[in-house]
Amino acid sequence: MTRIDATFAKLRAEGKKAFVSYIMAGDPDLDTSLAVMKGLPAAGVDIIELGVPFTDPMADGPTIQLAGQRALEAGMTLQKTLDMVRTFRKDDADTPIVLMGYYNPIYNRGVDRFLADAQEVGIDGLIVVDLPPEEDEELCIPAQAAGLNFIRLATPTTDDKRLPKVLTNTSGFVYYVSITGITGAAEAQAGDVGPEVARMKAQTDLPIIVGFGVKTPETARAIASVADGCVVGSAIVSQVAAGKPVDEILAFVKSLSDGAHAA
Amino acid sequence: MFQTAPCHLTASRWLDQIAEALDTRPVLRRHRREVARIIDPDALCRAAAARGLTVVEDGAHILIQNGSHRFPAASPCSSPRTPLTREGPGWEGAMANDLFNSFMTGPDEKGRFGIFGGRFVSETLMPLILELEEQYENAKTDQSFWDEMEFLWKHYVGRPSPLYHAERLSERLGGARIYMKRDELNHTGAHKINNVLGQIILARRMGKTRIIAETGAGQHGVATATVCAKFGLKCVVYMGAHDVQRQAPNVFRMKLLGAEVIPVTSGRGTLKDAMNDALRDWVTNVRDTFYCIGTVAGPHPYPAMVRDFQSIIGKETKEQMMEAEGRLPDTIIAAIGGGSNAMGLFYPFLDDKSVRIIGVEAGGKGVNEKMEHCASLTGGRPGVLHGNRTYLLQDEDGQILEGFSISAGLDYPGIGPEHAWLHEVGRAEYVAITDKEALEAFQLCCETEGIIPALEPSHALAHVMKIAPDLPKDHIICMNMCGRGDKDIFTVARHLGFDMSATEGRKAD
């Protein structure tokens, strides 16, 4: 059982929905992002998604693109992201960490070496946007063999025929992308999301977490109420981009997690 | 019976003679292509055995016998050799010798050429890509699809494009006989429209009403805008802000043709960034939008599909060369950014082993540790970007580097996956040409042939200039003149220190 599985078991027992937050590692610099990360559990974050900066984030909107550029300009790398997790783990043994990014930095490092390092520093799961089920042999299968969760995105274009393919080899949870589009785009609509979550629930026992287009405490609550939880990314990253101090960023995160947990 | 060529003759000459001899023996004609591919006498021997033909030796020569026909096919002086029979020792090893495996069978069902290619895209796009693959597979075997293509290629594009013997250039360089495949004479001024027509006809069959494209030099954007105008489709073109500036004439052309041109400011604002934004648009508008990719890159089936549409270049070249010279060229050369004009020329020749294939990458300011170039194969390593695994310019962390080239059309940090594979298996050679060398070739072409080439094929021409002088006069080189240079005259003027504004003359009141 990974930390992710344990977290969902605990939330289920408490009758609570999950709140997942995304931040970009190294944005705007390593120290600030580490300070934000360390404060996330106290701000009510159940699972941390840590973005790995990449020069060509094809599925991300301008907010995350710019966060990646800031991080890269400040010298962030995959190695430093792994080190950042290692530092975080010194004080927090329980909060699950999911690394989210694109395949090339991992491929470049070497899949075996990356998986060994990821395990060693205390990473629990991976979301790799540009690895669909058709490319499972690349990373998904080796990652699961190494004991990491491989969390897959399901989208409005994933029809019932394709859904089983997406759910096979998925573990931890299913990340449902609420819109056809990029991160930080249109507002997610609970009315659209609810039936989609039900559609997936018919085919899997895994928790369904909804992301893309969740920006406010109200949306967080509305979306979490029709799923097992929600993810907020761009809205938090925008606070970092605006140069807000760490405590203000965390206060904003708290308002979002309160929203999700009230669902 | 003809005289078997001694082994000091060039492989191509020798193979020509074998091919000629085979032609007079109808019973073997269907094997002609295969046999003519063979360079290695051992392989020839095995190949003959595989077809149940008898291989005999008369001391000096290897002869292949079929019934009463017997012809010399190889001279055994090149390497020590063990005669092989079907049951004989080493037969399995002979089959594993890949000489009889075609280079034209890729990609496999996973969209791979060796380890290259694939489908590295987000889940939102995956169902679309699978649908596109299915639709393309259907279209490929549908005669009505090709009838429409051929009609438009002929009457709208102006195909076949001429194969032109560049006599003065050949004379000036003093060596090989140089031919140019004149794809710059196509409607819209480059090879790009060959592919766009295919994709737009496919998009129409799929019921898509909105077409998006990325463009570097603007040639693919212009071609897409053109075909969209012809069919009344909405067209949105993503173009790096830097390229919008350096390719201003093409931007205006696209606007005249009714396309919306969106300058891309992310990254350094070049072709790579335009492709990212086009993919983001596609993810957002999947239901009504068709992404018309301009090169042999991207997720499967794009690399294969674009290659198939562009292969008209190589098919025509082959026929025209047979007509002009009665044989295949010895060397074919094309410039490579993503590699679509090159793949189009190369593909029909891949199994003609006598033909040397050279791809020319953009060397920018020089291929060195400063990385101010776009030579992915010469100066990059395998990685995953834009839906496929291929050679990429990247740093030690796997971050993609911006390319650098005088030519906007070659300014891309990757290369089509089939080129990456051809490079690894050694079927094609890849070299780099600097900005400076390309500019010299540009000028030489204008002066000697009265053809203003685009900066992209100027790179191919620059390599021709390098190798032609040392080759014999009967060596035939064919380079792909894939685009015309009208769009580049401002860039070239700037690099040559020529003030365009001073020559404009007075404006009319």
Side-chain angles (χ1 to χ4, degrees):
Chain A
M1 189 187 252
T2 64
R3 288 188 192 91
I4 296 172
D5 301 330
T7 297
F8 279 109
K10 182 165 162 279
L11 287 167
R12 232 185 333 263
E14 293 169 1
K16 274 170 73 181
K17 298 298 174 76
F19 179 67
V20 181
S21 76
Y22 171 98
I23 58 165
M24 175 67 79
D27 171 33
D29 54 65
L30 180 54
D31 291 344
T32 309
S33 66
L34 182 59
V36 173
M37 187 183 182
K38 283 181 169 176
L40 291 175
V45 171
D46 300 303
I47 296 172
I48 298 171
E49 265 180 36
L50 187 61
V52 182
F54 182 50
T55 38
D56 294 80
M58 305 178 308
D60 284 303
T63 308
I64 307 284
Q65 284 172 46
L66 290 170
Q69 281 181 25
R70 284 193 298 272
L72 291 171
E73 274 158 29
M76 203 61 188
T77 61
L78 178 55
Q79 179 61 53
K80 287 181 185 169
T81 306
L82 293 166
D83 293 341
M84 184 176 161
V85 174
R86 187 187 281 114
T87 309
F88 176 89
R89 276 276 172 256
K90 283 179 188 160
D91 306 319
D92 185 320
D94 304 318
T95 309
I97 298 171
V98 174
L99 231 50
M100 181 164 182
Y102 295 80
Y103 185 41
N104 197 54
I106 295 172
Y107 178 71
N108 174 68
R109 190 179 182 85
V111 165
D112 293 343
R113 181 176 162 217
F114 167 76
L115 289 175
D117 294 343
Q119 264 218 322
E120 189 257 319
V121 302
I123 286 161
D124 306 288
L126 304 173
I127 300 177
V128 184
V129 182
D130 50 355
L131 284 179
E134 281 72 9
E135 303 292 350
D136 266 359
E137 286 156 30
E138 295 282 333
L139 180 66
C140 171
I141 290 166
Q144 313 247 31
L148 292 170
N149 286 133
F150 196 87
I151 295 135
R152 194 118 53 200
L153 306 181
T155 73
T157 59
T158 313
D159 60 17
D160 286 337
K161 200 172 126 231
R162 182 166 169 80
L163 196 53
K165 189 163 183 132
V166 171
L167 295 172
T168 308
N169 296 332
T170 299
S171 63
F173 60 91
V174 177
Y175 188 135
Y176 180 68
V177 176
S178 66
I179 50 162
T180 56
I182 50 181
T183 52
E187 189 100 12
Q189 302 296 324
D192 298 338
V193 170
E196 289 292 291
V197 173
R199 182 165 73 88
M200 277 176 285
K201 287 265 178 201
Q203 293 202 28
T204 181
D205 294 330
L206 288 170
I208 312 290
I209 304 298
V210 178
F212 283 42
V214 184
K215 298 170 179 180
T216 63
E218 294 71 37
T219 323
R221 179 177 180 170
I223 294 294
S225 69
V226 297
D228 296 305
C230 67
V231 188
V232 179
S234 296
I236 298 170
V237 172
S238 295
Q239 302 277 312
V240 178
K244 297 270 174 70
V246 173
D247 55 350
E248 270 186 48
I249 296 168
L250 292 171
F252 176 67
V253 174
K254 182 74 170 61
S255 71
L256 294 164
S257 72
D258 284 347
H261 288 146
Chain B
M1 181 156 311
F2 80 145
Q3 190 66 42
T4 301
C7 57
H8 66 261
L9 268 194
T10 63
S12 60
R13 272 267 163 255
W14 175 40
L15 287 171
D16 291 340
Q17 290 182 23
I18 292 178
E20 211 177 289
L22 285 171
D23 244 353
T24 65
R25 289 165 174 78
V27 66
L28 284 168
R29 191 174 276 163
R30 70 196 172 92
H31 297 311
R32 175 183 158 185
R33 215 173 108 244
E34 288 100 315
V35 174
R37 284 199 329 242
I38 301 300
I39 295 169
D40 176 8
D42 287 352
L44 183 67
C45 190
R46 294 172 196 132
R51 279 160 179 71
L53 302 172
T54 315
V55 180
V56 291
E57 286 184 66
D58 70 356
H61 304 126
I62 300 168
L63 299 115
I64 293 181
Q65 188 169 318
N66 184 28
S68 58
H69 295 295
R70 183 186 256 220
F71 62 92
S75 184
C77 58
S78 63
S79 63
R81 182 185 40 77
T82 319
L84 292 166
T85 63
R86 194 177 283 276
E87 290 77 30
W91 175 254
E92 277 153 10
M95 289 309 284
N97 178 331
D98 277 338
L99 276 163
F100 256 82
N101 286 349
S102 172
F103 286 101
M104 296 171 74
T105 56
D108 65 17
E109 71 282 357
K110 291 188 75 187
R112 301 284 182 95
F113 303 91
I115 66 160
F116 301 103
R119 286 179 284 221
F120 297 88
V121 295
S122 62
E123 174 60 25
T124 312
L125 293 180
M126 216 39 236
L128 265 96
I129 283 170
L130 294 173
E131 191 200 345
L132 175 62
E133 185 184 345
E134 192 187 325
Q135 295 277 350
Y136 177 56
E137 286 304 317
N138 290 340
K140 239 171 38 175
T141 50
D142 180 348
Q143 193 50 45
S144 70
F145 177 82
W146 290 107
D147 287 348
E148 191 174 1
M149 286 287 284
E150 268 153 34
F151 180 85
L152 290 169
W153 268 338
K154 184 173 177 195
H155 298 284
Y156 193 65
V157 178
R159 301 210 71 94
S161 68
L163 180 72
Y164 167 71
H165 178 208
E167 280 182 77
R168 286 198 69 226
L169 183 68
S170 304
E171 210 171 286
R172 177 76 73 92
L173 296 175
R177 210 168 152 80
I178 300 161
Y179 278 84
M180 294 174 176
K181 177 62 175 165
R182 303 283 308 273
D183 253 50
E184 102 280 13
L185 293 175
N186 293 341
H187 181 40
T188 74
H191 67 288
K192 293 291 186 185
I193 198 164
N194 301 335
N195 158 52
V196 169
L197 269 182
Q199 289 198 46
I200 302 294
I201 293 172
L202 201 58
R204 276 160 52 86
R205 288 165 73 109
M206 292 171 74
K208 304 290 182 185
T209 52
R210 181 175 175 270
I211 308 296
I212 58 169
E214 84 294 334
T215 198
Q219 291 303 112
H220 175 59
V222 167
T224 308
T226 298
V227 181
C228 284
K230 182 191 156 38
F231 286 113
L233 297 165
K234 185 171 164 45
C235 178
V236 177
V237 179
Y238 288 88
M239 188 168 187
H242 179 64
D243 292 336
V244 167
Q245 202 187 352
R246 63 174 162 173
Q247 301 289 342
N250 273 344
V251 175
F252 186 56
R253 263 181 211 124
M254 286 185 268
K255 287 183 178 169
L256 284 173
L257 292 160
E260 184 188 349
V261 180
I262 301 182
V264 174
T265 50
S266 64
R268 211 190 71 182
T270 57
L271 182 53
K272 158 181 97 84
D273 310 298
M275 199 152 177
N276 286 331
D277 269 19
L279 283 162
R280 289 177 187 123
D281 178 313
W282 201 23
V283 168
T284 310
N285 302 293
V286 282
R287 298 188 200 276
D288 67 344
T289 298
F290 185 97
Y291 183 12
C292 181
I293 295 184
T295 192
V296 285
H300 178 66
Y302 281 99
M305 179 170 72
V306 176
R307 172 201 71 195
D308 292 346
F309 293 146
Q310 291 292 3
S311 291
I312 186 72
I313 300 172
K315 279 180 210 151
E316 286 176 8
T317 301
K318 230 174 176 175
E319 284 169 20
Q320 291 166 323
M321 195 59 89
M322 288 308 287
E323 204 171 303
E325 294 279 350
R327 66 179 184 92
L328 296 178
D330 298 297
T331 303
I332 54 176
I333 299 184
I336 296 181
S340 71
N341 91 79
M343 215 51 241
L345 176 66
F346 296 172
Y347 187 67
F349 288 98
L350 288 180
D351 284 344
D352 297 300
K353 300 267 170 81
S354 69
V355 180
R356 184 179 175 197
I357 299 178
I358 304 175
V360 183
E361 296 190 286
K365 292 182 180 174
V367 182
N368 53 34
E369 68 288 348
K370 283 199 211 152
M371 297 302 273
E372 288 173 318
H373 62 83
C374 296
S376 322
L377 288 177
T378 324
R381 61 177 195 281
V384 173
L385 179 71
H386 292 153
N388 58 168
R389 178 174 11 239
T390 187
Y391 273 71
L392 299 172
L393 302 182
Q394 52 185 322
D395 70 11
E396 57 187 23
D397 189 42
Q399 304 295 339
I400 309 304
L401 297 171
E402 297 288 347
F404 183 94
S405 170
I406 188 173
S407 149
L410 305 181
D411 206 344
Y412 182 68
I415 185 167
E418 195 165 6
H419 286 295
W421 176 72
L422 290 170
H423 168 69
E424 290 230 325
V425 298
R427 176 59 188 104
E429 301 160 52
Y430 294 86
V431 297
I433 282 292
T434 64
D435 288 354
K436 193 168 163 287
E437 291 167 327
L439 274 169
E440 283 165 15
F442 178 99
Q443 289 170 277
L444 183 71
C445 186
C446 294
E447 287 164 25
T448 56
E449 293 297 341
I451 294 170
I452 301 178
L455 282 170
E456 291 79 15
S458 296
H459 284 71
L461 208 53
H463 192 67
V464 171
M465 283 166 64
K466 270 190 184 174
I467 64 170
D470 297 328
L471 291 166
K473 289 208 186 302
D474 63 351
H475 186 103
I476 300 174
I477 297 181
C478 178
M479 66 80 63
N480 196 9
M481 182 56 73
C482 64
R484 67 177 86 128
D486 310 35
K487 69 183 175 58
D488 291 315
I489 53 172
F490 298 96
T491 306
V492 173
R494 205 166 46 249
H495 278 84
L496 299 180
F498 187 81
D499 185 0
M500 293 279 271
S501 60
T503 65
E504 271 175 9
R506 269 187 306 157
K507 279 183 188 154
D509 286 322

